[in-house]
Every structure is written in structure tokens, then in C-alpha cells.
Amino acid sequence: MLIKLYNGNPNTREVRRIADTLAGGGIVILPTDTLYCFACSMEHKKAVETIAQLKGFKLKQAKYSMLCESLSQASEYVRPMDRDVFALLKQCLPGPFTFIMEANSNVPRNYQNANRTVGIRVPENDITRSVIAEVGVPLICTSVRPIGEDDEPENYTDPELIHDRFGSRVEMVIDGGIADDQPSTVVDCSDGIELIRQGKGEINL
């Protein structure tokens, strides 16, 4: 199912329908401020396992991020931040960044990296943030960009082509327009502050 929404003013009824699908354990492909992503509610482990299959990796090798509606929501799932880290996140979020943080006990072990960290995203995208707010908990996500494939960018930036490829394997694909072909900038804040990957987001450390 392909659903068209407008980033500046997403339809409230459709947002609720998408949120209900996620809350029920479904998988939805959502727009962000970078790439489109597979997403499911953090409360449904089986959906996360299915996303791993769609992405083409083993569950233990998966690198997921948590999509949060706000920095306030994100702070409920990470250990207390020092002043410098908090100031950095406040400056950058919402935005095209993934911050690797120490997870607290609210994050199931399945979604933590080997060193008990988790990637936090607060995308600058009204559609996805409205959906997260309606679900009430963060979403577990990973980009639809193929692993190890020399794929044409339009195959993972054009929602209609994404729907052609994955529409029969997920509950919904949300068309929020053509996506950027750059991933998020990744910053590790679990032990100091370190730039791991330069992506769309510009940052001065």
C-alpha cells in the first residue's frame, strides 16, 4: 500500500492509520530527512527480525537506530548526558544526524550494539515525527539502502520504486517525496564526542 503524505501538513487520519499499523506489529517504510527507512515499533521483536531479513543481514549483525519524536523522548532511553553532549544534541536535533549513545534499561538488549549503545535519530520530517508521536514509543529503523549492492540511487530514493520493490513485503510505504541519497552523519557520544561518518548533516566538533 502506497500512501502519499505532505511533509509540511501530514493528514491526521492517515497518520493515525500508519501509527495503528505500527502499534499492531506492522512494518512501514517511512521518509526521513535523509534516506527512506524500514520502521517498526520497538515493542515488536518479530517485526525487527523481519526487517533484518528485508535488509539482508543477520539479526545479530544488524545496526538499528531508534527514531524518536523529540530529544525529550530520546532522553528516556539513554544514560544521563554530560553538558557538552546535551548541548550538541540540542543544537543538531531535529536533523540528519545519528548519535550513538549509551543505552539505559528502557532499551531492550536486542536493539543495543555489542557495547550497549544505541543510535538515536530525531529526523527533521513532520510525517515521521507525527507518526512516532501517535505511536507513543520510538520506532526501530534501518535505511532501505541495500547492503553491498551497487544500486541506482533512484531505487532507494524514489518512493514509487521503493514500493515496487518492497510493497508486497511490508504493510505500507509512505510517499513523502523524493528522498536525499545521503545517509545521516553519525557521531559517537558514548565516550567523548567522535565523528564516525560524515553524511548529510554538517557538524563542527
Side-chain angles (χ1 to χ4, degrees):
M1 179 183 298
L2 184 65
I3 298 175
K4 174 70 177 179
L5 290 178
Y6 295 93
N7 185 31
N9 186 29
N11 182 281
T12 301
R13 182 177 297 179
E14 294 290 15
V15 166
R16 288 173 181 162
R17 181 156 69 124
I18 297 162
D20 287 345
T21 298
L22 289 161
I27 297 169
V28 175
I29 294 178
L30 290 169
T32 69
D33 47 2
T34 55
L35 304 171
Y36 274 85
C37 67
F38 298 109
C40 68
S41 167
M42 68 178 295
E43 297 181 333
H44 292 279
K45 180 183 175 183
K46 287 186 177 180
V48 179
E49 293 172 348
T50 301
I51 288 177
Q53 295 170 3
L54 290 168
K55 183 77 173 185
F57 50 38
K58 295 180 180 179
L59 188 59
K60 291 183 179 180
Q61 298 172 333
K63 291 186 178 180
Y64 297 108
S65 294
M66 290 178 59
L67 281 176
C68 298
E69 185 267 335
S70 63
L71 177 55
S72 176
Q73 184 184 58
S75 67
E76 298 174 17
Y77 296 89
V78 300
R79 294 188 179 277
M81 309 172 215
D82 66 32
R83 186 176 301 174
D84 289 342
V85 171
F86 179 78
L88 179 65
L89 268 65
K90 190 173 182 180
Q91 174 187 341
C92 294
L93 298 177
F97 299 90
T98 300
F99 289 99
I100 300 173
M101 310 289 294
E102 287 187 281
N104 66 22
S105 59
N106 291 331
V107 181
R109 287 287 182 87
N110 301 24
Y111 312 144
Q112 298 179 23
N113 297 324
N115 53 356
R116 297 187 180 179
T117 58
V118 63
I120 295 293
R121 286 223 60 200
V122 183
E124 192 171 8
N125 183 285
D126 294 338
I127 296 169
T128 294
R129 290 173 63 206
S130 296
V131 169
I132 300 166
E134 188 70 28
V135 175
V137 297
L139 306 180
I140 302 301
C141 77
T142 187
S143 76
V144 300
R145 189 172 189 169
I147 293 178
E149 290 186 30
D150 186 18
D151 209 354
E152 294 296 326
E154 57 266 26
N155 289 334
Y156 53 85
T157 59
D158 186 326
E160 293 190 4
L161 295 179
I162 292 171
H163 181 262
D164 289 345
R165 182 170 185 175
F166 295 110
S168 64
R169 304 173 69 187
V170 300
E171 276 66 38
M172 296 175 176
V173 177
I174 309 308
D175 178 355
I178 301 296
D180 200 295
D181 64 356
Q182 292 187 73
S184 63
T185 291
V186 179
V187 181
D188 189 342
C189 297
S190 62
D191 184 15
I193 300 175
E194 179 184 2
L195 179 65
I196 301 298
R197 180 183 72 195
Q198 181 63 59
K200 183 179 177 182
E202 294 295 330
I203 192 168
N204 293 316
L205 299 179

